[in-house]
Amino acid sequence: MPFDTQLTRKLGIRVPVIQGGMQWVGYVELASAVSNAGGLGILTSLTQPTPEDLRKEIRRCREMTKNPFGVNLTALPTINPPPYEEYAKVIIEEGVKIVETAGLVEPYVAMFKKAGCIVLHKCTSIRHALSAERRMGVDFLSIDGFECAGHVGETDIPNMVLLSRARQQLRTPFIGSGGFADGRGLLAALALGASGINMGTRFMCTQEAPVHMNIKQAIVNATENDTQLVLRRWKNTSRYFRNKVSEAAYEIEKTSPTGEFKEVQQYVSGQRGRQVFINGDPDHGVWTAGICIGMIQDVPTCEDLLRRIEAEAQGALSANVSQYKESAKM
Ligand code: NAD
């Protein structure tokens, strides 16, 4: 195992790479493929219409992989609040051992910890990470830099600084999330003190991701300038793929005299965004993407992607070490 870290040892995985929760993407096809390839695949609870559907999805995942996998539970502002506690109960009843959480989840984390689950909690700031460490005693913090897709937080600190601050401040092991898409990124995160990385957008653009091919092609064609930040006015800043709908939502956000969320609701609706992945029209609704879209140039299988990431990280490590030795001789 080339990269043996606290993360790989604790989770029982080969490669220190996690496929983070993604609304309308984190289904069993993707999660099981990532786990079979040696990373940690994660099912996203709220993509399932009911807690009982999540139960079926977890059981299906067990049939599709013998390797460890996790389940994500995220509680952020939502148009129709789901029954979070019921989802949490199903996760526990089904004996899931690894849970990824984000948002206001303290009561559910307490349930998961009591049930003996390993909890990885996502934070976009050191202040929130310290509070999660103190109040919830999670096993890993997933440090979500400003580069990430979706909910970027309100402090706008990218991972070059955020991961270093995590290393300086946290006692809990952490992983880097946001902006990672290749082996050099993995190596950089390890060098900054992380035990591994979390990738979302990169896994969206794999053969197994249940996302229309047009959308994968839109990611391949995009540059790092093709995302847009919306919802800052409501302190729920979200990074979307820049399209006609994100532009329209942003225009209302900027100009609305009332500042009422309901004015943008029809544009940012997740149900509308979900259709994008099904019908393949990138302008049908908003959909989240990280700025690493600029680095993504193909649609590999999860197996090929993880093998490439391992090989690239190893190759870059050896090259850097020999370059360093050469320059030390001079
Ligand atoms: P949705 O249709 O309920 O809402 C669309 C967007 O508007 C979301 O970004 C939501 O956070 C935001 N929003 C809703 N009400 C708001 C309010 N009053 N003020 C400010 N912003 C508001 O969301 P969805 O796309 O169907 O997703 C359902 C839930 O899953 C949301 O809570 C979302 O945040 C969450 N989610 C989870 C993940 C994950 O990794 N598991 C990823 C993305 C979204």
Side-chain angles (χ1 to χ4, degrees):
M1 277 201 256
F3 293 102
D4 179 23
T5 72
Q6 272 177 296
L7 187 79
T8 56
R9 287 194 293 277
K10 183 94 178 176
L11 304 190
I13 55 177
R14 194 189 80 244
V15 198
V17 177
I18 291 180
Q19 164 255 311
M22 281 177 280
Q23 192 66 355
W24 314 124
V25 178
Y27 293 99
V28 68
E29 291 77 12
L30 179 59
S32 60
V34 174
S35 288
N36 283 332
L40 186 84
I42 293 190
L43 298 172
T44 304
S45 295
L46 303 184
T47 54
Q48 297 301 320
T50 68
E52 282 313 304
D53 290 304
L54 176 62
R55 191 188 301 283
K56 287 185 205 144
E57 190 83 343
I58 293 169
R59 291 184 182 178
R60 220 149 69 82
C61 203
R62 284 228 165 84
E63 283 166 18
M64 290 169 72
T65 182
K66 296 281 162 272
N67 292 346
F69 66 92
V71 177
N72 166 287
L73 185 66
T74 297
L76 288 163
T78 308
I79 294 168
N80 299 307
Y84 296 111
E85 191 173 332
E86 300 307 309
Y87 281 97
K89 278 187 188 153
V90 164
I91 293 170
I92 292 168
E93 282 164 12
E94 288 304 306
V96 172
K97 294 278 171 277
I98 305 166
V99 184
E100 181 190 60
T101 56
L104 298 173
V105 287
E106 203 171 324
Y108 320 119
V109 170
M111 289 166 64
F112 295 137
K113 290 299 300 171
K114 198 167 162 213
C117 305
I118 299 168
V119 178
L120 298 96
H121 182 68
K122 273 191 161 180
C123 295
T124 57
S125 73
I126 298 303
R127 187 166 69 84
H128 288 149
L130 284 168
S131 157
E133 189 172 71
R134 199 173 56 244
R135 295 168 63 104
M136 298 196 278
V138 296
D139 300 276
F140 287 90
L141 286 153
S142 184
I143 301 296
D144 217 7
F146 186 51
E147 301 93 331
C148 75
H151 302 274
V152 300
E154 308 306 316
T155 52
D156 303 358
I157 310 293
N159 264 332
M160 187 64 83
V161 169
L162 206 57
L163 292 178
S164 292
R165 292 290 296 127
R167 186 184 68 251
Q168 290 170 338
Q169 295 278 302
L170 303 178
R171 282 178 285 111
T172 308
F174 59 93
I175 62 170
S177 179
F180 295 105
D182 62 13
R184 285 180 181 270
L186 168 61
L187 190 60
L190 297 177
L192 290 171
S195 305
I197 55 172
N198 177 90
M199 304 195 304
T201 307
R202 176 61 273 197
F203 280 120
M204 247 174 90
C205 204
T206 56
Q207 292 291 328
E208 295 91 341
V211 167
H212 197 287
M213 194 58 195
N214 289 357
I215 303 307
K216 297 176 188 175
Q217 194 55 47
I219 294 176
V220 169
N221 295 346
T223 76
E224 60 279 20
N225 300 314
D226 292 327
T227 71
Q228 181 162 31
L229 297 170
V230 186
L231 302 182
R232 170 130 296 170
R233 188 165 179 176
W234 296 278
K235 295 197 168 32
N236 188 25
T237 309
S238 300
R239 189 185 293 286
Y240 296 120
F241 190 90
R242 185 186 290 276
N243 65 11
K244 287 181 187 149
V245 190
S246 71
E247 298 273 11
Y250 183 63
E251 196 50 37
I252 293 171
E253 174 172 358
K254 247 186 357 189
T255 55
S256 157
T258 69
E260 285 187 36
F261 174 75
K262 67 173 193 281
E263 289 186 53
V264 287
Q265 183 169 311
Q266 57 154 317
Y267 296 92
V268 298
S269 147
Q271 285 300 336
R272 186 170 164 182
R274 175 190 190 183
Q275 292 306 315
V276 167
F277 299 140
I278 298 168
N279 68 23
D281 172 6
D283 283 317
H284 189 86
V286 293
W287 49 284
T288 62
I291 54 175
C292 70
I293 49 176
M295 298 156 61
I296 297 174
Q297 287 161 1
D298 61 358
V299 188
T301 63
C302 291
E303 174 79 27
D304 287 348
L305 177 63
L306 287 184
R307 294 248 172 246
R308 184 164 82 198
I309 286 177
E310 265 184 305
E312 192 187 51
Q314 245 179 326
L317 178 61
S318 328
N320 284 357
V321 169
S322 51
Q323 238 175 29
Y324 175 77
K325 282 184 183 157
E326 281 305 309
S327 62
K329 275 190 220 154
M330 289 198 293

